[in-house]
Amino acid sequence: MRRAVCPGSFDPIHKGHLEIIERASKLYDVVHVAVLINRNKQGMFTVEERIGLIEEVTVPFGNVVVESHHGLLVDYCRDRGIPAIIKGLRAVSDFDYELQMAQMNHGLTGVETLFLPTSPTYSFLSSTLVKEVASYGGDVSHLLPETVHRRLVDRIAERKAEQ
Ligand code: PNS
């Protein structure tokens, strides 16, 4: 079985992420989507909610496993015999930090990082921007899978009602 991992925060998953996962799923027998837990970051969605959303929208690919992980990505890869990390590159500005992480990860355990160029349609897209625009009432429906968009709009409304 040829395995690869698409890691990230996925708070929430957007169409740019999904496009990379779909392309990875055509290259590998099994694609793991690892939701990395950062306890210092308060998310819009809980890790369990993020996993549920990713599972729902990746079902059509047929070979995607979604899990959370607290700790180093290289440990996740080593524990599961995953030799490759797949990352989407949106723009040159992504490259510096991604290269740094790829070199660090390779130095730690020998795990390889492969970069896929993001579709130009989504090269500006990030979960942070989507949340910001949506929280001010902007339309981000074309940037998220339908179910994720619905949940985001609901969550923002819940948060506003609590304030
Ligand atoms: O979606 P993000 O937040 O850009 O993803 C970044 C992520 C989670 C892939 C990266 O921060 C990561 O790999 N975190 C796990 C902890 C780790 O291994 N840190 C060392 C990186 S060299």
Side-chain angles (χ1 to χ4, degrees), residues 6-50:
C6 294
S9 306
F10 302 106
D11 185 38
I13 186 167
H14 56 61
K15 284 191 178 176
H17 292 131
L18 198 58
E19 195 238 346
I20 294 296
I21 296 166
E22 180 173 18
R23 284 160 63 191
S25 78
K26 290 177 182 157
L27 298 172
Y28 287 86
D29 298 316
V30 180
V31 170
H32 293 246
V33 176
V35 180
L36 273 303
I37 301 169
N38 182 346
R39 297 210 196 280
N40 300 319
K41 249 189 187 176
Q42 164 72 20
M44 178 71 82
F45 293 96
T46 66
V47 170
E48 292 70 27
E49 287 170 332
R50 294 179 214 178

mmCIF file of all heavy atoms in Angstrom, residues 6-50:
data_model
loop_
_atom_site.group_PDB
_atom_site.id
_atom_site.type_symbol
_atom_site.label_atom_id
_atom_site.label_comp_id
_atom_site.label_asym_id
_atom_site.label_seq_id
_atom_site.Cartn_x
_atom_site.Cartn_y
_atom_site.Cartn_z
ATOM 1 N N CYS A 6 -1.793 14.207 4.074
ATOM 2 C CA CYS A 6 -2.055 15.643 3.884
ATOM 3 C C CYS A 6 -2.330 16.204 5.282
ATOM 4 O O CYS A 6 -3.391 15.940 5.852
ATOM 5 C CB CYS A 6 -3.282 15.875 3.000
ATOM 6 S SG CYS A 6 -3.086 15.325 1.301
ATOM 7 N N PRO A 7 -1.374 16.944 5.848
ATOM 8 C CA PRO A 7 -1.566 17.467 7.204
ATOM 9 C C PRO A 7 -2.081 18.905 7.201
ATOM 10 O O PRO A 7 -1.936 19.631 6.217
ATOM 11 C CB PRO A 7 -0.142 17.444 7.769
ATOM 12 C CG PRO A 7 0.714 17.752 6.564
ATOM 13 C CD PRO A 7 -0.012 17.224 5.340
ATOM 14 N N GLY A 8 -2.675 19.310 8.313
ATOM 15 C CA GLY A 8 -3.089 20.709 8.406
ATOM 16 C C GLY A 8 -3.966 20.936 9.626
ATOM 17 O O GLY A 8 -4.211 20.016 10.414
ATOM 18 N N SER A 9 -4.434 22.179 9.738
ATOM 19 C CA SER A 9 -5.344 22.514 10.835
ATOM 20 C C SER A 9 -6.804 22.298 10.405
ATOM 21 O O SER A 9 -7.647 21.943 11.232
ATOM 22 C CB SER A 9 -5.180 23.986 11.238
ATOM 23 O OG SER A 9 -3.842 24.268 11.521
ATOM 24 N N PHE A 10 -7.091 22.574 9.152
ATOM 25 C CA PHE A 10 -8.420 22.324 8.567
ATOM 26 C C PHE A 10 -9.547 22.919 9.409
ATOM 27 O O PHE A 10 -10.496 22.228 9.772
ATOM 28 C CB PHE A 10 -8.659 20.819 8.368
ATOM 29 C CG PHE A 10 -7.641 20.146 7.490
ATOM 30 C CD1 PHE A 10 -6.661 19.319 8.037
ATOM 31 C CD2 PHE A 10 -7.638 20.352 6.124
ATOM 32 C CE1 PHE A 10 -5.713 18.697 7.221
ATOM 33 C CE2 PHE A 10 -6.695 19.740 5.307
ATOM 34 C CZ PHE A 10 -5.745 18.912 5.860
ATOM 35 N N ASP A 11 -9.424 24.213 9.716
ATOM 36 C CA ASP A 11 -10.426 24.864 10.587
ATOM 37 C C ASP A 11 -11.173 25.976 9.851
ATOM 38 O O ASP A 11 -10.962 27.149 10.155
ATOM 39 C CB ASP A 11 -9.723 25.415 11.834
ATOM 40 C CG ASP A 11 -10.710 25.992 12.826
ATOM 41 O OD1 ASP A 11 -11.805 25.405 12.970
ATOM 42 O OD2 ASP A 11 -10.413 27.020 13.452
ATOM 43 N N PRO A 12 -12.055 25.651 8.917
ATOM 44 C CA PRO A 12 -12.442 24.320 8.455
ATOM 45 C C PRO A 12 -11.768 24.000 7.108
ATOM 46 O O PRO A 12 -11.082 24.841 6.534
ATOM 47 C CB PRO A 12 -13.954 24.483 8.237
ATOM 48 C CG PRO A 12 -14.073 25.887 7.704
ATOM 49 C CD PRO A 12 -12.995 26.677 8.386
ATOM 50 N N ILE A 13 -12.031 22.773 6.643
ATOM 51 C CA ILE A 13 -11.550 22.381 5.306
ATOM 52 C C ILE A 13 -12.218 23.273 4.255
ATOM 53 O O ILE A 13 -13.403 23.589 4.355
ATOM 54 C CB ILE A 13 -11.835 20.889 5.035
ATOM 55 C CG1 ILE A 13 -11.204 20.460 3.703
ATOM 56 C CG2 ILE A 13 -13.329 20.566 5.074
ATOM 57 C CD1 ILE A 13 -11.154 18.959 3.501
ATOM 58 N N HIS A 14 -11.437 23.728 3.266
ATOM 59 C CA HIS A 14 -12.003 24.527 2.168
ATOM 60 C C HIS A 14 -11.683 23.850 0.821
ATOM 61 O O HIS A 14 -11.013 22.799 0.796
ATOM 62 C CB HIS A 14 -11.509 25.973 2.222
ATOM 63 C CG HIS A 14 -10.011 26.134 2.223
ATOM 64 N ND1 HIS A 14 -9.216 25.698 1.189
ATOM 65 C CD2 HIS A 14 -9.175 26.685 3.142
ATOM 66 C CE1 HIS A 14 -7.964 25.980 1.454
ATOM 67 N NE2 HIS A 14 -7.892 26.576 2.639
ATOM 68 N N LYS A 15 -12.152 24.456 -0.245
ATOM 69 C CA LYS A 15 -12.028 23.788 -1.552
ATOM 70 C C LYS A 15 -10.577 23.670 -2.019
ATOM 71 O O LYS A 15 -10.247 22.788 -2.801
ATOM 72 C CB LYS A 15 -12.877 24.520 -2.597
ATOM 73 C CG LYS A 15 -14.355 24.229 -2.457
ATOM 74 C CD LYS A 15 -15.138 24.733 -3.652
ATOM 75 C CE LYS A 15 -16.614 24.398 -3.529
ATOM 76 N NZ LYS A 15 -17.404 24.978 -4.643
ATOM 77 N N GLY A 16 -9.717 24.561 -1.549
ATOM 78 C CA GLY A 16 -8.291 24.441 -1.881
ATOM 79 C C GLY A 16 -7.697 23.191 -1.258
ATOM 80 O O GLY A 16 -6.965 22.433 -1.911
ATOM 81 N N HIS A 17 -8.022 22.940 0.015
ATOM 82 C CA HIS A 17 -7.574 21.705 0.675
ATOM 83 C C HIS A 17 -8.104 20.486 -0.078
ATOM 84 O O HIS A 17 -7.383 19.525 -0.335
ATOM 85 C CB HIS A 17 -8.152 21.594 2.095
ATOM 86 C CG HIS A 17 -7.663 22.579 3.098
ATOM 87 N ND1 HIS A 17 -8.509 23.301 3.898
ATOM 88 C CD2 HIS A 17 -6.407 22.943 3.467
ATOM 89 C CE1 HIS A 17 -7.814 24.050 4.729
ATOM 90 N NE2 HIS A 17 -6.528 23.876 4.481
ATOM 91 N N LEU A 18 -9.412 20.566 -0.370
ATOM 92 C CA LEU A 18 -10.086 19.400 -0.950
ATOM 93 C C LEU A 18 -9.482 19.020 -2.301
ATOM 94 O O LEU A 18 -9.326 17.839 -2.622
ATOM 95 C CB LEU A 18 -11.580 19.724 -1.098
ATOM 96 C CG LEU A 18 -12.503 18.542 -1.284
ATOM 97 C CD1 LEU A 18 -12.395 17.552 -0.139
ATOM 98 C CD2 LEU A 18 -13.951 19.030 -1.409
ATOM 99 N N GLU A 19 -9.125 20.038 -3.057
ATOM 100 C CA GLU A 19 -8.537 19.803 -4.371
ATOM 101 C C GLU A 19 -7.189 19.065 -4.242
ATOM 102 O O GLU A 19 -6.907 18.129 -4.993
ATOM 103 C CB GLU A 19 -8.334 21.159 -5.061
ATOM 104 C CG GLU A 19 -8.074 21.071 -6.538
ATOM 105 C CD GLU A 19 -6.770 21.695 -6.953
ATOM 106 O OE1 GLU A 19 -6.155 22.433 -6.155
ATOM 107 O OE2 GLU A 19 -6.350 21.414 -8.090
ATOM 108 N N ILE A 20 -6.402 19.462 -3.251
ATOM 109 C CA ILE A 20 -5.103 18.801 -3.037
ATOM 110 C C ILE A 20 -5.315 17.362 -2.569
ATOM 111 O O ILE A 20 -4.655 16.424 -3.045
ATOM 112 C CB ILE A 20 -4.253 19.595 -2.006
ATOM 113 C CG1 ILE A 20 -3.868 20.975 -2.571
ATOM 114 C CG2 ILE A 20 -3.001 18.820 -1.596
ATOM 115 C CD1 ILE A 20 -2.968 20.961 -3.785
ATOM 116 N N ILE A 21 -6.270 17.169 -1.645
ATOM 117 C CA ILE A 21 -6.535 15.807 -1.151
ATOM 118 C C ILE A 21 -7.020 14.917 -2.294
ATOM 119 O O ILE A 21 -6.595 13.764 -2.432
ATOM 120 C CB ILE A 21 -7.576 15.841 0.001
ATOM 121 C CG1 ILE A 21 -7.007 16.600 1.204
ATOM 122 C CG2 ILE A 21 -7.994 14.430 0.404
ATOM 123 C CD1 ILE A 21 -8.053 16.978 2.257
ATOM 124 N N GLU A 22 -7.878 15.455 -3.135
ATOM 125 C CA GLU A 22 -8.382 14.654 -4.273
ATOM 126 C C GLU A 22 -7.241 14.260 -5.203
ATOM 127 O O GLU A 22 -7.135 13.105 -5.631
ATOM 128 C CB GLU A 22 -9.430 15.441 -5.050
ATOM 129 C CG GLU A 22 -9.967 14.637 -6.231
ATOM 130 C CD GLU A 22 -11.137 15.297 -6.933
ATOM 131 O OE1 GLU A 22 -11.349 16.516 -6.759
ATOM 132 O OE2 GLU A 22 -11.844 14.560 -7.665
ATOM 133 N N ARG A 23 -6.366 15.209 -5.508
ATOM 134 C CA ARG A 23 -5.247 14.893 -6.403
ATOM 135 C C ARG A 23 -4.316 13.870 -5.762
ATOM 136 O O ARG A 23 -3.834 12.950 -6.423
ATOM 137 C CB ARG A 23 -4.517 16.175 -6.801
ATOM 138 C CG ARG A 23 -5.313 16.965 -7.857
ATOM 139 C CD ARG A 23 -4.908 18.405 -7.929
ATOM 140 N NE ARG A 23 -3.532 18.609 -8.326
ATOM 141 C CZ ARG A 23 -2.901 19.791 -8.242
ATOM 142 N NH1 ARG A 23 -3.542 20.860 -7.773
ATOM 143 N NH2 ARG A 23 -1.665 19.907 -8.631
ATOM 144 N N ALA A 24 -4.068 14.022 -4.451
ATOM 145 C CA ALA A 24 -3.218 13.053 -3.745
ATOM 146 C C ALA A 24 -3.865 11.669 -3.767
ATOM 147 O O ALA A 24 -3.184 10.644 -3.904
ATOM 148 C CB ALA A 24 -2.989 13.518 -2.305
ATOM 149 N N SER A 25 -5.197 11.643 -3.662
ATOM 150 C CA SER A 25 -5.898 10.352 -3.610
ATOM 151 C C SER A 25 -5.799 9.590 -4.930
ATOM 152 O O SER A 25 -6.010 8.386 -4.978
ATOM 153 C CB SER A 25 -7.366 10.547 -3.206
ATOM 154 O OG SER A 25 -8.124 10.999 -4.318
ATOM 155 N N LYS A 26 -5.471 10.322 -6.010
ATOM 156 C CA LYS A 26 -5.288 9.652 -7.309
ATOM 157 C C LYS A 26 -3.862 9.125 -7.461
ATOM 158 O O LYS A 26 -3.575 8.310 -8.332
ATOM 159 C CB LYS A 26 -5.613 10.626 -8.440
ATOM 160 C CG LYS A 26 -7.098 10.936 -8.508
ATOM 161 C CD LYS A 26 -7.394 11.949 -9.583
ATOM 162 C CE LYS A 26 -8.882 12.278 -9.611
ATOM 163 N NZ LYS A 26 -9.153 13.575 -10.200
ATOM 164 N N LEU A 27 -2.960 9.633 -6.643
ATOM 165 C CA LEU A 27 -1.547 9.238 -6.759
ATOM 166 C C LEU A 27 -1.170 8.123 -5.790
ATOM 167 O O LEU A 27 -0.189 7.426 -6.001
ATOM 168 C CB LEU A 27 -0.640 10.451 -6.476
ATOM 169 C CG LEU A 27 -0.759 11.640 -7.426
ATOM 170 C CD1 LEU A 27 0.053 12.828 -6.901
ATOM 171 C CD2 LEU A 27 -0.264 11.252 -8.817
ATOM 172 N N TYR A 28 -1.937 7.991 -4.698
ATOM 173 C CA TYR A 28 -1.593 7.035 -3.641
ATOM 174 C C TYR A 28 -2.761 6.083 -3.385
ATOM 175 O O TYR A 28 -3.908 6.415 -3.652
ATOM 176 C CB TYR A 28 -1.235 7.783 -2.344
ATOM 177 C CG TYR A 28 0.119 8.462 -2.456
ATOM 178 C CD1 TYR A 28 0.227 9.740 -3.002
ATOM 179 C CD2 TYR A 28 1.290 7.808 -2.072
ATOM 180 C CE1 TYR A 28 1.464 10.350 -3.145
ATOM 181 C CE2 TYR A 28 2.530 8.411 -2.213
ATOM 182 C CZ TYR A 28 2.612 9.682 -2.750
ATOM 183 O OH TYR A 28 3.840 10.273 -2.899
ATOM 184 N N ASP A 29 -2.409 4.903 -2.835
ATOM 185 C CA ASP A 29 -3.465 3.932 -2.515
ATOM 186 C C ASP A 29 -4.330 4.425 -1.351
ATOM 187 O O ASP A 29 -5.548 4.274 -1.366
ATOM 188 C CB ASP A 29 -2.841 2.577 -2.130
ATOM 189 C CG ASP A 29 -2.045 1.982 -3.269
ATOM 190 O OD1 ASP A 29 -2.535 2.017 -4.417
ATOM 191 O OD2 ASP A 29 -0.905 1.519 -3.039
ATOM 192 N N VAL A 30 -3.649 4.981 -0.344
ATOM 193 C CA VAL A 30 -4.370 5.517 0.822
ATOM 194 C C VAL A 30 -3.817 6.896 1.142
ATOM 195 O O VAL A 30 -2.601 7.079 1.203
ATOM 196 C CB VAL A 30 -4.190 4.617 2.077
ATOM 197 C CG1 VAL A 30 -4.960 5.197 3.264
ATOM 198 C CG2 VAL A 30 -4.619 3.195 1.798
ATOM 199 N N VAL A 31 -4.719 7.851 1.333
ATOM 200 C CA VAL A 31 -4.309 9.192 1.762
ATOM 201 C C VAL A 31 -4.844 9.425 3.167
ATOM 202 O O VAL A 31 -6.044 9.307 3.421
ATOM 203 C CB VAL A 31 -4.824 10.279 0.797
ATOM 204 C CG1 VAL A 31 -4.595 11.667 1.383
ATOM 205 C CG2 VAL A 31 -4.109 10.161 -0.542
ATOM 206 N N HIS A 32 -3.922 9.725 4.073
ATOM 207 C CA HIS A 32 -4.304 10.085 5.449
ATOM 208 C C HIS A 32 -4.439 11.602 5.502
ATOM 209 O O HIS A 32 -3.535 12.319 5.052
ATOM 210 C CB HIS A 32 -3.214 9.658 6.434
ATOM 211 C CG HIS A 32 -3.062 8.187 6.563
ATOM 212 N ND1 HIS A 32 -3.346 7.523 7.725
ATOM 213 C CD2 HIS A 32 -2.673 7.244 5.665
ATOM 214 C CE1 HIS A 32 -3.140 6.232 7.552
ATOM 215 N NE2 HIS A 32 -2.718 6.027 6.303
ATOM 216 N N VAL A 33 -5.538 12.062 6.037
ATOM 217 C CA VAL A 33 -5.661 13.491 6.323
ATOM 218 C C VAL A 33 -5.470 13.627 7.825
ATOM 219 O O VAL A 33 -6.254 13.080 8.609
ATOM 220 C CB VAL A 33 -7.030 14.047 5.886
ATOM 221 C CG1 VAL A 33 -7.147 15.517 6.290
ATOM 222 C CG2 VAL A 33 -7.190 13.906 4.371
ATOM 223 N N ALA A 34 -4.385 14.283 8.216
ATOM 224 C CA ALA A 34 -4.064 14.411 9.644
ATOM 225 C C ALA A 34 -4.416 15.810 10.116
ATOM 226 O O ALA A 34 -3.865 16.801 9.624
ATOM 227 C CB ALA A 34 -2.587 14.127 9.880
ATOM 228 N N VAL A 35 -5.350 15.871 11.057
ATOM 229 C CA VAL A 35 -5.715 17.152 11.665
ATOM 230 C C VAL A 35 -4.797 17.339 12.874
ATOM 231 O O VAL A 35 -4.926 16.638 13.880
ATOM 232 C CB VAL A 35 -7.201 17.160 12.100
ATOM 233 C CG1 VAL A 35 -7.557 18.498 12.737
ATOM 234 C CG2 VAL A 35 -8.113 16.860 10.911
ATOM 235 N N LEU A 36 -3.830 18.236 12.724
ATOM 236 C CA LEU A 36 -2.852 18.447 13.786
ATOM 237 C C LEU A 36 -3.447 19.334 14.870
ATOM 238 O O LEU A 36 -4.010 20.396 14.564
ATOM 239 C CB LEU A 36 -1.585 19.091 13.220
ATOM 240 C CG LEU A 36 -0.511 18.129 12.667
ATOM 241 C CD1 LEU A 36 -0.071 17.146 13.741
ATOM 242 C CD2 LEU A 36 -0.947 17.373 11.439
ATOM 243 N N ILE A 37 -3.318 18.891 16.097
ATOM 244 C CA ILE A 37 -3.926 19.619 17.221
ATOM 245 C C ILE A 37 -2.926 20.613 17.782
ATOM 246 O O ILE A 37 -1.816 20.246 18.155
ATOM 247 C CB ILE A 37 -4.356 18.636 18.341
ATOM 248 C CG1 ILE A 37 -5.356 17.620 17.780
ATOM 249 C CG2 ILE A 37 -4.938 19.389 19.528
ATOM 250 C CD1 ILE A 37 -5.639 16.466 18.716
ATOM 251 N N ASN A 38 -3.355 21.876 17.799
ATOM 252 C CA ASN A 38 -2.550 22.926 18.414
ATOM 253 C C ASN A 38 -3.338 23.467 19.608
ATOM 254 O O ASN A 38 -4.292 24.215 19.445
ATOM 255 C CB ASN A 38 -2.273 24.037 17.387
ATOM 256 C CG ASN A 38 -1.401 25.127 17.966
ATOM 257 O OD1 ASN A 38 -1.213 25.211 19.183
ATOM 258 N ND2 ASN A 38 -0.858 25.963 17.099
ATOM 259 N N ARG A 39 -2.940 23.034 20.804
ATOM 260 C CA ARG A 39 -3.717 23.376 22.009
ATOM 261 C C ARG A 39 -3.661 24.871 22.321
ATOM 262 O O ARG A 39 -4.466 25.374 23.099
ATOM 263 C CB ARG A 39 -3.225 22.576 23.208
ATOM 264 C CG ARG A 39 -3.425 21.076 23.030
ATOM 265 C CD ARG A 39 -3.639 20.367 24.359
ATOM 266 N NE ARG A 39 -3.450 18.923 24.219
ATOM 267 C CZ ARG A 39 -4.356 18.102 23.746
ATOM 268 N NH1 ARG A 39 -5.520 18.561 23.341
ATOM 269 N NH2 ARG A 39 -4.101 16.797 23.650
ATOM 270 N N ASN A 40 -2.713 25.580 21.724
ATOM 271 C CA ASN A 40 -2.616 27.027 21.986
ATOM 272 C C ASN A 40 -3.549 27.841 21.100
ATOM 273 O O ASN A 40 -3.656 29.047 21.256
ATOM 274 C CB ASN A 40 -1.175 27.519 21.766
ATOM 275 C CG ASN A 40 -0.225 26.811 22.701
ATOM 276 O OD1 ASN A 40 -0.548 26.603 23.863
ATOM 277 N ND2 ASN A 40 0.937 26.435 22.186
ATOM 278 N N LYS A 41 -4.156 27.176 20.128
ATOM 279 C CA LYS A 41 -5.018 27.882 19.179
ATOM 280 C C LYS A 41 -6.472 27.521 19.418
ATOM 281 O O LYS A 41 -6.835 26.340 19.347
ATOM 282 C CB LYS A 41 -4.640 27.456 17.742
ATOM 283 C CG LYS A 41 -3.987 28.540 16.920
ATOM 284 C CD LYS A 41 -3.906 28.028 15.501
ATOM 285 C CE LYS A 41 -3.150 28.878 14.553
ATOM 286 N NZ LYS A 41 -3.044 28.241 13.238
ATOM 287 N N GLN A 42 -7.295 28.529 19.705
ATOM 288 C CA GLN A 42 -8.730 28.285 19.859
ATOM 289 C C GLN A 42 -9.352 28.277 18.467
ATOM 290 O O GLN A 42 -9.291 29.282 17.746
ATOM 291 C CB GLN A 42 -9.328 29.396 20.739
ATOM 292 C CG GLN A 42 -10.833 29.513 20.700
ATOM 293 C CD GLN A 42 -11.516 28.351 21.444
ATOM 294 O OE1 GLN A 42 -10.914 27.679 22.264
ATOM 295 N NE2 GLN A 42 -12.780 28.119 21.130
ATOM 296 N N GLY A 43 -9.904 27.149 18.060
ATOM 297 C CA GLY A 43 -10.424 27.050 16.695
ATOM 298 C C GLY A 43 -11.881 27.465 16.590
ATOM 299 O O GLY A 43 -12.571 27.633 17.596
ATOM 300 N N MET A 44 -12.337 27.614 15.366
ATOM 301 C CA MET A 44 -13.764 27.859 15.102
ATOM 302 C C MET A 44 -14.522 26.554 15.324
ATOM 303 O O MET A 44 -15.646 26.538 15.821
ATOM 304 C CB MET A 44 -13.923 28.346 13.661
ATOM 305 C CG MET A 44 -15.325 28.597 13.216
ATOM 306 S SD MET A 44 -16.076 30.043 13.961
ATOM 307 C CE MET A 44 -15.431 31.373 12.948
ATOM 308 N N PHE A 45 -13.872 25.432 14.933
ATOM 309 C CA PHE A 45 -14.487 24.110 15.084
ATOM 310 C C PHE A 45 -13.603 23.244 15.981
ATOM 311 O O PHE A 45 -12.373 23.384 15.957
ATOM 312 C CB PHE A 45 -14.632 23.425 13.716
ATOM 313 C CG PHE A 45 -15.618 24.112 12.817
ATOM 314 C CD1 PHE A 45 -15.194 25.026 11.868
ATOM 315 C CD2 PHE A 45 -16.975 23.868 12.939
ATOM 316 C CE1 PHE A 45 -16.102 25.681 11.047
ATOM 317 C CE2 PHE A 45 -17.897 24.518 12.128
ATOM 318 C CZ PHE A 45 -17.460 25.415 11.183
ATOM 319 N N THR A 46 -14.222 22.335 16.720
ATOM 320 C CA THR A 46 -13.431 21.387 17.515
ATOM 321 C C THR A 46 -12.748 20.418 16.547
ATOM 322 O O THR A 46 -13.156 20.287 15.380
ATOM 323 C CB THR A 46 -14.314 20.564 18.470
ATOM 324 O OG1 THR A 46 -15.172 19.724 17.678
ATOM 325 C CG2 THR A 46 -15.151 21.446 19.372
ATOM 326 N N VAL A 47 -11.746 19.725 17.057
ATOM 327 C CA VAL A 47 -11.039 18.760 16.207
ATOM 328 C C VAL A 47 -12.004 17.682 15.715
ATOM 329 O O VAL A 47 -11.956 17.273 14.549
ATOM 330 C CB VAL A 47 -9.844 18.159 16.984
ATOM 331 C CG1 VAL A 47 -9.239 16.988 16.232
ATOM 332 C CG2 VAL A 47 -8.794 19.228 17.229
ATOM 333 N N GLU A 48 -12.910 17.259 16.597
ATOM 334 C CA GLU A 48 -13.881 16.220 16.205
ATOM 335 C C GLU A 48 -14.801 16.737 15.098
ATOM 336 O O GLU A 48 -15.128 16.004 14.162
ATOM 337 C CB GLU A 48 -14.728 15.786 17.419
ATOM 338 C CG GLU A 48 -13.976 15.031 18.489
ATOM 339 C CD GLU A 48 -12.983 15.891 19.281
ATOM 340 O OE1 GLU A 48 -13.205 17.116 19.388
ATOM 341 O OE2 GLU A 48 -11.978 15.343 19.759
ATOM 342 N N GLU A 49 -15.204 17.996 15.203
ATOM 343 C CA GLU A 49 -16.055 18.577 14.156
ATOM 344 C C GLU A 49 -15.291 18.659 12.826
ATOM 345 O O GLU A 49 -15.849 18.370 11.767
ATOM 346 C CB GLU A 49 -16.524 19.977 14.570
ATOM 347 C CG GLU A 49 -17.570 19.967 15.662
ATOM 348 C CD GLU A 49 -17.853 21.365 16.230
ATOM 349 O OE1 GLU A 49 -16.961 22.241 16.200
ATOM 350 O OE2 GLU A 49 -18.968 21.558 16.722
ATOM 351 N N ARG A 50 -14.034 19.064 12.907
ATOM 352 C CA ARG A 50 -13.234 19.165 11.665
ATOM 353 C C ARG A 50 -13.098 17.801 10.998
ATOM 354 O O ARG A 50 -13.235 17.672 9.786
ATOM 355 C CB ARG A 50 -11.825 19.692 11.987
ATOM 356 C CG ARG A 50 -11.824 21.102 12.494
ATOM 357 C CD ARG A 50 -10.408 21.537 12.823
ATOM 358 N NE ARG A 50 -10.422 22.427 13.966
ATOM 359 C CZ ARG A 50 -9.368 22.959 14.531
ATOM 360 N NH1 ARG A 50 -8.162 22.683 14.059
ATOM 361 N NH2 ARG A 50 -9.464 23.757 15.555
#
